[in-house]
Amino acid sequence: MPAQNLRLSDRQLKGVKPASKDYVLTDGDGLQLRVRSNGSLLWNFNYREPVTKKRINIGFGTYPELSLANARKMAVDARELLAQGIDPKVQRNTLNEAKRAETEHTFENVATAWFELKKDSVTPAYAEDIWRSLTLHVFPDLKTTPLTKITAPMVIGLLRPIEAKGSLETVKRLSQRLNEIMTYGVNSGLIFANPLSGIRAVFKKPKKENMAALPPEELPELMLEIANASIKRTTRCLIEWQLHTMTRPAEAATTRWADIDFERRVWTIPPERMKKRRPHSIPLSDHAVALLESLKTHSGHREYVFPADRNPRTHANSQTANMALKRMGFQDRLVSHGMRSMASTILNEHGWDPELIEVALAHVDKDEVRSAYNRADYIERRRPMMAWWSEYIQKAATGSLLASAYGQVRDKNVVPIR
């Protein structure tokens, strides 16, 4: 009975006054009220850690927001955990982390964090493709799902309709990206294992298809169609620029004036715009330089050589050339990326050094030491080859009007630059 006199009461609590220093009022069985010098009243539960037996405090909340009766209930719950050998503070942190995971560690939030890292290791165009695929195919179903709730059956069910449509390449890429996001979650300590590691095995594999490319003998037909097509001249220039420089569609579309060294006649593409994240320098032929000169009055005052129609402050879409080729009737016969294959075939057939051709195409050289040497030395060694290639294009276009000649002769089929 005397112990009862040590218990706190609501009347006593209402009359508590702060002092110059903090002090503690004890309710018994580990429950304490800490009276701060600033007037705040804090409930603490003091206990011995089950393993180390060290004294530990765990805060319950403030008085009067947490009443005396409710603070005692929390103390009882804490003692029950201790009786089972469970540290109440560890238990509370675990539960709080689980609740936070429900709201903070959603699939979209984790995917966003992963993408912030990923986009620095790929080209802007590829990064845009990654995010677009997630937005279109994944976020509508998994956006708010906690990462801990993602399962293989859930994702397989999400991808099955895409597979049924025959979009096997899309399924393959989404599987890869989803796996990367889940692995990021593992490495960040958000989940213990990646449940999607084997999902690609349950889907049909896409058949590997080469980019549609014309045989060498059909290059004259291509040049004739380019010359006679009713397309904007900037689009015509873009197609020819990609053809002369043997670059990928995104690399050609994002050409910047600042990257062109007219004195050295070299175009250097920075690593962030290259597929393999390595800088790539291209020696420019007379025809390539003439093409640039013909564009100076149109875009020389802007950042990009091929500005977008709707927003000239940015660059043309990487699919601009592709769509133009389709309108010319080359669908299923040639894609803009296929012009690289055509250039490679022709150069190899005419006996040019295969190593120089591979460097011109910016293919990865597995020998990184040799690769560094290539960048410095192969620019000059590639000049004769690039000049020969431009002359070959010129001969194929005999009787057709090249975009670089627009300043000399006007073609009624050319849509003027706006």
Side-chain angles (χ1 to χ4, degrees), residues 42-165:
L42 310 175
W43 290 113
N44 281 332
F45 179 69
N46 183 265
Y47 65 98
R48 289 188 183 277
E49 201 278 333
V51 178
T52 65
K53 304 304 180 182
K54 290 183 179 179
R55 281 286 178 184
I56 298 177
N57 280 328
I58 178 173
F60 282 169
T62 60
Y63 178 86
E65 288 78 13
L66 181 66
S67 67
L68 174 60
N70 286 333
R72 285 172 175 168
K73 288 179 183 178
M74 292 179 69
V76 170
D77 292 340
R79 287 195 295 273
E80 288 179 356
L81 290 173
L82 287 169
Q84 302 173 56
I86 301 173
D87 187 330
K89 180 177 278 189
V90 172
Q91 175 78 347
R92 185 174 71 179
N93 290 343
T94 301
L95 293 175
N96 286 342
E97 180 60 30
K99 290 179 180 178
R100 185 161 54 250
E102 293 284 335
T103 56
E104 293 182 15
H105 304 151
T106 62
F107 179 83
E108 183 186 35
N109 288 347
V110 176
T112 301
W114 164 81
F115 182 71
E116 286 301 309
L117 293 176
K118 181 71 174 181
K119 69 181 183 180
D120 290 333
S121 63
V122 298
T123 61
Y126 189 57
E128 184 180 339
D129 178 70
I130 291 174
W131 194 250
R132 188 189 306 112
S133 70
L134 294 175
T135 302
L136 183 62
H137 300 293
V138 182
F139 289 158
D141 292 285
L142 301 183
K143 184 175 184 178
T144 59
T145 305
L147 206 67
T148 54
K149 303 293 185 182
I150 302 290
T151 64
M154 180 188 300
V155 173
I156 290 170
L158 178 68
L159 299 181
R160 283 296 186 202
I162 303 174
E163 180 191 36
K165 293 178 182 178

Side-chain angles (χ1 to χ4, degrees), residues 160-328:
R160 283 296 186 202
I162 303 174
E163 180 191 36
K165 293 178 182 178
S167 303
L168 302 184
E169 189 63 36
T170 300
V171 171
K172 175 185 173 181
R173 293 187 180 186
L174 285 173
S175 297
Q176 178 184 340
R177 291 160 189 177
L178 287 165
N179 263 284
E180 287 190 33
I181 293 168
M182 298 304 286
T183 299
Y184 172 83
V186 173
N187 295 336
S188 299
L190 306 179
I191 51 177
F192 294 108
N194 175 11
L196 308 182
S197 59
I199 63 169
R200 281 182 62 178
V202 306
F203 297 105
K204 297 177 183 177
K205 293 182 179 179
K207 293 181 181 179
K208 188 173 182 180
E209 297 181 358
N210 294 324
M211 296 285 185
L214 295 175
E217 61 271 17
E218 294 182 13
L219 180 58
E221 178 192 349
L222 172 63
M223 301 312 298
L224 179 63
E225 290 298 330
I226 293 174
N228 292 327
S230 294
I231 56 177
K232 293 185 180 71
R233 185 166 159 270
T234 47
T235 302
R236 181 175 303 193
C237 289
L238 174 57
I239 296 173
E240 289 189 19
W241 176 250
Q242 188 181 334
L243 189 60
H244 280 278
T245 57
M246 298 163 57
T247 46
R248 299 177 179 91
E251 296 159 5
T254 57
T255 307
R256 298 185 310 178
W257 287 108
D259 298 329
I260 307 291
D261 186 334
F262 281 93
E263 185 175 342
R264 293 178 55 231
R265 296 165 70 94
V266 173
W267 170 31
T268 301
I269 309 174
E272 63 270 17
R273 297 215 308 278
M274 292 298 297
K275 181 179 180 180
K276 299 300 182 180
R277 316 303 288 176
R278 288 170 43 185
H280 181 52
S281 296
I282 302 168
L284 300 176
S285 66
D286 290 343
H287 295 290
V289 172
L291 196 150
L292 291 173
E293 293 289 352
S294 73
L295 282 165
K296 276 187 175 180
T297 55
H298 171 60
S299 61
H301 61 293
R302 300 196 180 279
E303 179 180 4
Y304 295 100
V305 176
F306 306 100
D309 288 334
R310 293 184 179 179
N311 182 9
R313 292 185 178 180
T314 188
H315 56 78
N317 191 291
S318 61
Q319 290 300 310
T320 297
N322 226 20
M323 297 307 296
L325 290 171
K326 284 184 179 180
R327 289 194 298 271
M328 291 178 211

